[in-house]
Amino acid sequence: MADTPLMKQYRQIKQEYPDKILFFRLGDFYEMFDEDAVEVSALLNLTLTHKGDSPMCGIPYHAVRNYLKRLLDAGKKIAICEQMSLSDSPKALARREVVRIVTPATVVEEDFLAETDSSYILSVFQGYCAFCEVSTGEFRLRILGSENRIASLRAIIEQIRPKEMLVCEDEYFLDTDFKEAVDLSPAMITKLAPWYFSLKTGYKILCEQVGVASLASFGLNEKDKVIGPAGALIRYIRETSKSSVNQISDYKLDIESSYVSIDESSRKNLELFRNLYDGTVSNTLFETINRCKTNSGTRLLKSFLNFPLHDKALIEARQKWVKYFHENNSELERVRSCISGSRDLNRLMTRIILKRAVPRDLTGIKQSIGTFFSIISEDPSRFSELFDSSLRDNSNLEKAFSLMQEIDRAVNEDFLGQFNAGEVIKDGYDTLLDEKRKLMESGNSVLSEYLDKEKEKSGLTILKLGYNRVYGYYLEIPKGQVSKAPQYFIRIQTLVNGERYTTEELKGYERQISEASSQAEERERELYNNLIAEAASISSTLNDMGSFMSLLDVYQGLATLAIDSDYVCPEITDEDVLVIQGGRHPVVEKHLGPGKFVSNDLDMSVRFCLITGPNMAGKSTYLRQNALIILLAHIGSFVPARSARIGLTDRIFCRVGAMDNLARGESTFLVDMQETSYILRNCTDRSFVIVDEVGRGTSTQDGMSLAYAIMKNLISKRAKTLFATHYHELTMMDMSGIRLLTPAVDNSGKNVVFLRKMIEGAASSSYGIHVARLAGVPYQVIREAQSFQNRHFADYGINGKQGNLFSSQDDDLNTSEESEYLTPKAADIIKELQECNPEELTPMQALILLSKLKEEAQ
């Protein structure tokens, strides 16, 4: 069957957007056809129908947001095709065109965004990248590590967790390592033609975007290769929005040396934002330290953790404000109380600039401006150091204050939906609008009088007056009284239970009311758009207000954390030192409760510490806590310790707890070696390295040999290293340049007690059999393991000590030692047997006792 003109139009538009779901506007519905209809009906559980031979499904246009969100969550892109104009001829097609492409990282509407998460889109090309947060306008450019750009790519993906990635199709298909790294990303991947990444075109696009003739003020020139992915990114954002993207008004060139470098696996192993157990935010560093009151402040705190500073002056500038709030409790409480009333001003302004705002966005802007002035009200100069240039100009502040007052007078803050005439602008705000609304109201009273007149004139006492969008106002007569309709009644619709009519007089009233309604809606929309335009005209000032309040929220949050958790301000120094007194693991301490965590010191005057000791004694906690303390110090936070003196650190490496990576086809040992290799190739004498149980997953001889060689290499590089191992033989090697540490263990009694305190020296045993016992391994297995160890590894322990559970030389366990291993119930049974006297029991009593003990034993 030949296509209808409508289907020809649909397929012609669909051809231009083959990889996107096409929402094709037909009246009050968005329709989908062919493969799109089949796919969307399954994803959204819609009824699949047909138009001719074509599968078809649709959704109401007024409910489109709910369906868009579900499709975005399913990883789809959607092209919105609207009716742009209707033809005068009823047989001619309406003109339609795609007005916007909706993708996961280019949406700015509140319904589609996670409030406390950034929504980045990352563009990568030949070792250079750019990433943008479209909802706020943040735009950064970065050069990936030259020595290992794939590792650097994986690190940036883990660092910003992009929702979308743009790559060059040639690089993607020709570079298998690059393709693998990209495919393993959770982001939606878009492959672009090579010309998207042109330096010449990219430079022109970047200049146009911010309205300059040269990018020199941003530290960029025409030959910088980072221009390629940045230009592609701007072009892509423009193409999807189908409009200008004026919220992007600045570029930040990230210099790698400006931040503490943390690779992909180290970020994961330190559990900064997701734990290793179930991938959620619970039991992570971020969850532990977050005391922010606003969504924008929460996102900025995440940025602080993602980009720890490597600049003493900048770190100390942050510390200064945390100290200020820490030392001024009344001011801290005042700011916390004020700032909780702020809305997400930067995202609000993006919607204003892109003309996608709704009335509640204006109310949010009013609230945020009010919050700003509340914060600075006591002393306007107190926080001026944190102001961007626009906030130092009183005329800009006056304009913002005026806008706040205007919105307060004009906008109905109880209305939360899309623009709806009659509900957005308050009565009494505008004289002309009030007049038009009165005309509408008087029209209603006129209609009521007209209906009464017609009832009296015609004798039809049950005559009804109604309205619909098709016929306008009408008079309805029940079927039984249709014969009484006057001759001047004009029939317009026949119903099952009656007839609908109009009259010339009713048509005249309808025209008057329609004109008043149309004029009122036009005036209300004009007033609303004026407010939007006024907000857009001072967007720079309002964005700076939003940035100021986000920054203040982070500072007050870090100060609140320091007070709540007894953190101290670390001394940051250019000297190559690391001394931490009474350090604590922030996450573990929080879950243990106040005073229960055993603190430990760290002094890296000897740059390599070899740590031996049993599992469950706290080695891994000790390793991680020192890495987290260093990280917190470099974001400007106070730290969990009695005192800390920390030299600037260029990189933090964390090689602990390697696991199989089935997605990459890598075994535990391979992952172990890859992570270790990256550390050895990239660490410096200003790096901090923690290594836990390197060499697992292979034979003891191979593992120990590799551990020894790795240890020697790290010593030669003079990286500050905490190296934990179960290869106790390493402590008997050459100890020059090495400090031995071990968790203290009390094995003076019959039970082994882990004291969680690091002391000088080497461990006497790994106490593995003891840990197995605590884990509930069956008693017979424990006994056999101990017996095997005694027979075959008599010389294995350090200083001849095994940390044995059982002391009998012939491996027979005495009663007291065995009973300690038994469950409480088993111990009760033994006690009952010991206390009974068989000679005093009658045969029946003995039988009853035996039956009872048997039942309890089972």
Side-chain angles (χ1 to χ4, degrees):
M1 182 183 293
D3 280 346
T4 63
L6 179 70
M7 289 306 297
K8 285 182 179 177
Q9 184 187 51
Y10 168 82
R11 292 198 170 107
Q12 184 179 2
I13 296 173
K14 175 63 182 176
Q15 236 176 11
E16 299 176 28
Y17 302 94
D19 60 335
K20 300 167 183 69
I21 303 293
L22 182 61
F23 274 23
F24 190 75
R25 183 71 177 269
L26 281 177
D28 288 344
F29 281 80
Y30 288 111
E31 301 290 356
M32 285 138 279
F33 299 96
D34 302 334
E35 295 87 353
D36 282 1
V38 174
E39 183 177 23
V40 171
S41 65
L43 287 171
L44 303 182
N45 196 26
L46 301 176
T47 301
L48 187 65
T49 60
H50 285 78
K51 186 177 182 65
D53 294 332
S54 299
M56 169 182 170
C57 70
I59 58 173
Y61 85 96
H62 59 80
V64 69
R65 289 194 174 209
N66 293 333
Y67 294 103
L68 281 177
K69 185 172 187 341
R70 289 166 64 187
L71 288 174
L72 289 173
D73 291 342
K76 302 298 177 183
K77 295 181 181 180
I78 304 98
I80 308 293
C81 181
E82 296 285 2
Q83 294 176 174
M84 304 307 293
S85 63
L86 297 174
S87 171
D88 293 335
S89 169
K91 295 184 178 180
L93 283 174
R95 182 173 68 85
R96 293 180 175 87
E97 65 180 57
V98 172
V99 298
R100 181 184 172 198
I101 298 169
V102 182
T103 72
T106 59
V107 289
V108 298
E109 289 82 359
E110 193 173 22
D111 299 343
F112 304 141
L113 294 169
E115 293 178 337
T116 59
D117 289 334
S118 295
S119 183
Y120 285 113
I121 179 168
L122 173 66
S123 175
V124 185
F125 183 62
Q126 294 182 348
Y128 300 85
C129 72
F131 52 97
C132 178
E133 223 280 18
V134 178
S135 70
T136 62
E138 176 190 0
F139 197 100
R140 297 194 185 199
L141 304 89
R142 175 180 285 195
I143 301 170
L144 298 177
S146 56
E147 292 186 10
N148 192 333
R149 66 185 184 89
I150 300 301
S152 295
L153 173 60
R154 286 176 171 158
I156 191 70
I157 291 172
E158 179 64 24
Q159 189 173 23
I160 67 172
R161 303 287 291 183
K163 295 287 184 66
E164 290 186 64
M165 281 184 65
L166 311 180
V167 298
C168 173
E169 58 186 8
D170 285 0
E171 185 175 18
Y172 177 82
F173 289 113
L174 295 176
D175 188 333
T176 55
D177 290 338
F178 177 77
K179 181 178 185 299
E180 180 186 48
V182 168
D183 287 345
L184 287 172
S185 162
M188 174 187 285
I189 310 302
T190 299
K191 295 175 277 294
L192 302 175
W195 54 265
Y196 265 88
F197 299 87
S198 161
L199 282 183
K200 183 177 180 181
T201 305
Y203 192 86
K204 181 180 178 182
I205 289 173
L206 291 175
C207 288
E208 287 175 353
Q209 179 61 35
V210 294
V212 295
S214 165
L215 298 178
S217 60
F218 301 100
L220 298 166
N221 63 61
E222 295 180 4
K223 295 182 180 180
D224 285 332
K225 292 185 178 180
V226 74
I227 295 294
L233 181 52
I234 293 288
R235 180 192 287 268
Y236 177 82
I237 295 170
R238 286 180 180 175
E239 288 177 349
T240 54
S241 67
K242 297 288 182 179
S243 67
S244 61
V245 283
N246 293 332
Q247 78 273 23
I248 301 173
S249 58
D250 191 18
Y251 308 126
K252 182 175 182 180
L253 180 60
D254 276 350
I255 308 300
E256 189 173 7
S257 59
S258 299
Y259 305 104
V260 179
S261 175
I262 310 176
D263 62 278
E264 176 196 21
S265 63
S266 296
R267 288 178 181 277
K268 291 178 179 178
N269 291 330
L270 288 173
E271 297 181 299
L272 303 182
F273 300 102
R274 282 164 294 281
N275 67 58
L276 293 172
Y277 174 67
D278 60 9
T280 66
V281 74
S282 62
N283 300 328
T284 61
L285 179 65
F286 170 73
E287 182 206 40
T288 300
I289 70 170
N290 182 26
R291 300 290 189 280
C292 293
K293 302 286 283 185
T294 67
N295 295 328
S296 58
T298 301
R299 292 199 306 274
L300 183 60
L301 176 61
K302 287 182 177 180
S303 180
F304 275 26
L305 280 173
N306 270 323
F307 300 92
L309 297 173
H310 187 250
D311 185 301
K312 180 173 177 286
L314 294 178
I315 295 171
E316 289 177 341
R318 289 180 179 177
Q319 285 182 345
K320 171 186 172 182
W321 285 103
V322 179
K323 279 181 187 177
Y324 171 76
F325 287 118
H326 185 265
E327 294 168 359
N328 295 272
N329 284 350
S330 60
E331 181 67 358
L332 173 62
E333 291 306 315
R334 186 185 75 85
V335 169
R336 279 181 68 80
S337 175
C338 288
I339 209 163
S340 60
S342 175
R343 290 280 305 280
D344 204 333
L345 193 51
N346 297 107
R347 283 184 168 177
L348 290 173
M349 290 314 302
T350 292
R351 292 199 283 274
I352 292 287
I353 292 168
L354 295 179
K355 297 181 173 56
R356 295 181 195 163
V358 294
R360 69 165 176 247
D361 290 338
L362 284 174
T363 303
I365 290 171
K366 178 193 77 173
Q367 292 172 349
S368 299
I369 297 173
T371 297
F372 172 81
F373 283 109
S374 294
I375 289 171
I376 69 168
S377 59
E378 292 195 358
D379 182 359
S381 65
R382 180 177 299 167
F383 300 111
S384 59
E385 184 181 316
L386 298 176
F387 288 175
D388 287 313
S389 57
S390 69
L391 300 182
R392 296 194 180 99
D393 187 334
N394 285 334
S395 64
N396 290 333
L397 298 183
E398 288 169 3
K399 290 176 183 176
F401 190 80
S402 174
L403 174 64
M404 178 188 71
Q405 293 178 315
E406 199 71 15
I407 294 173
D408 185 56
R409 286 196 299 268
V411 179
N412 173 19
E413 63 183 25
D414 296 327
F415 180 69
L416 300 177
Q418 298 284 327
F419 183 92
N420 191 20
E423 298 186 74
V424 177
I425 301 298
K426 294 178 182 176
D427 289 334
Y429 173 68
D430 180 72
T431 304
L432 182 57
L433 176 61
D434 290 345
E435 290 176 358
K436 300 302 179 184
R437 285 176 172 172
K438 283 181 182 178
L439 283 174
M440 291 171 59
E441 291 171 3
S442 64
N444 290 331
S445 62
V446 167
L447 286 174
S448 179
E449 292 174 3
Y450 169 74
L451 178 63
D452 292 339
K453 184 180 73 172
E454 285 296 342
K455 284 181 179 179
E456 184 178 350
K457 185 177 178 181
S458 65
L460 297 168
T461 56
I462 54 174
L463 187 66
K464 294 180 181 178
L465 179 70
Y467 175 85
N468 66 33
R469 295 178 64 183
V470 177
Y471 297 104
Y473 289 101
Y474 57 80
L475 296 166
E476 185 173 322
I477 303 176
K479 199 159 187 111
Q481 298 195 23
V482 168
S483 60
K484 297 180 182 180
Q487 289 186 351
Y488 61 85
F489 274 30
I490 305 166
R491 182 184 285 110
I492 57 175
Q493 188 179 16
T494 299
L495 304 174
V496 175
N497 298 319
E499 300 281 350
R500 288 177 176 173
Y501 299 85
T502 188
T503 67
E504 292 299 332
E505 187 175 1
L506 181 58
K507 289 180 181 178
Y509 290 142
E510 183 175 353
R511 281 192 295 271
Q512 294 174 21
I513 294 170
S514 177
E515 286 177 5
S517 175
S518 175
Q519 289 170 354
E521 179 177 350
E522 183 180 344
R523 179 59 178 168
E524 186 172 12
R525 202 171 274 280
E526 179 185 358
L527 295 170
Y528 173 72
N529 288 336
N530 287 345
L531 290 172
I532 295 289
E534 189 176 346
S537 70
I538 58 170
S539 61
S540 177
T541 300
L542 297 182
N543 269 316
D544 287 347
M545 278 186 180
S547 299
F548 162 74
M549 288 188 286
S550 298
L551 193 59
L552 208 63
D553 191 22
V554 173
Y555 290 152
Q556 70 78 20
L558 292 176
T560 303
L561 168 71
I563 294 170
D564 290 347
S565 305
D566 192 25
Y567 287 12
V568 299
C569 184
E571 178 190 350
I572 301 296
T573 175
D574 289 321
E575 297 177 36
D576 190 8
V577 297
L578 178 57
V579 180
I580 298 171
Q581 296 291 326
R584 312 185 303 275
H585 192 297
V587 182
V588 177
E589 178 186 42
K590 176 185 175 183
H591 289 277
L592 286 180
K596 294 184 179 179
F597 187 90
V598 178
S599 63
N600 276 292
D601 301 340
L602 174 67
D603 184 345
M604 295 300 297
S605 53
V606 176
R607 305 179 72 86
F608 190 97
C609 294
L610 181 61
I611 305 172
T612 54
N615 289 313
M616 296 181 61
K619 297 195 309 296
S620 295
T621 298
Y622 181 68
L623 266 60
R624 283 187 172 96
Q625 81 182 35
N626 288 297
L628 294 178
I629 287 171
I630 292 170
L631 174 59
L632 287 173
H634 282 75
I635 71 168
S637 171
F638 283 26
V639 300
R642 286 197 312 274
S643 67
R645 189 163 184 261
I646 300 173
L648 283 177
T649 303
D650 62 356
R651 295 167 182 257
I652 296 174
F653 296 99
C654 175
R655 205 238 62 79
V656 297
M659 295 176 290
D660 289 346
N661 192 325
L662 299 180
R664 297 181 191 172
E666 297 166 349
S667 69
T668 300
F669 183 66
L670 179 58
V671 173
D672 187 347
M673 290 298 101
Q674 285 176 338
E675 294 178 1
T676 304
S677 171
Y678 186 79
I679 294 172
L680 297 178
R681 292 178 181 276
N682 293 279
C683 69
T684 72
D685 61 352
R686 297 306 292 260
S687 301
F688 183 72
V689 180
I690 58 176
V691 177
D692 193 8
E693 295 186 39
V694 71
R696 294 184 309 163
T698 187
S699 69
T700 301
Q701 295 89 341
D702 285 350
M704 190 184 306
S705 302
L706 283 166
Y708 175 77
I710 291 164
M711 182 175 77
K712 286 297 184 182
N713 188 273
L714 287 168
I715 293 171
S716 70
K717 291 181 177 292
R718 302 192 73 251
K720 299 183 192 71
T721 305
L722 301 182
F723 193 100
T725 183
H726 281 295
Y727 298 132
H728 292 185
E729 293 83 352
L730 295 178
T731 63
M732 294 181 260
M733 308 295 181
D734 177 14
M735 288 293 103
S736 55
I738 298 177
R739 182 185 181 196
L740 294 180
L741 293 176
T742 184
V745 177
D746 180 4
N747 58 359
S748 58
K750 293 176 180 177
N751 288 320
V752 175
V753 179
F754 299 141
L755 302 178
R756 314 289 181 187
K757 197 72 177 177
M758 301 301 297
I759 59 175
E760 300 276 353
S764 61
S765 171
S766 285
Y767 297 95
I769 295 177
H770 175 76
V771 174
R773 169 182 166 177
L774 293 178
V777 173
Y779 166 69
Q780 294 84 352
V781 176
I782 296 296
R783 177 175 175 172
E784 184 65 32
Q786 184 70 70
S787 175
F788 183 87
Q789 186 186 76
N790 289 343
R791 290 196 307 269
H792 297 283
F793 297 104
D795 297 328
Y796 186 79
I798 306 301
N799 300 324
K801 296 179 182 178
Q802 296 294 319
N804 290 350
L805 289 173
F806 314 117
S807 60
S808 177
Q809 294 181 354
D810 58 2
D811 298 330
D812 290 329
L813 306 176
N814 61 47
T815 303
S816 63
E817 290 169 332
E818 182 172 346
S819 66
E820 288 178 10
Y821 185 79
L822 299 174
T823 65
K825 188 68 177 174
D828 289 344
I829 294 172
I830 292 173
K831 183 179 179 182
E832 194 168 355
L833 282 170
Q834 289 173 332
E835 291 177 351
C836 79
N837 187 350
E839 295 179 358
E840 296 177 357
L841 298 176
T842 66
M844 182 56 70
Q845 288 173 329
L847 182 61
I848 292 172
L849 177 62
L850 182 61
S851 298
K852 175 190 172 187
L853 294 177
K854 180 180 178 183
E855 182 180 347
E856 290 178 350
Q858 288 175 338

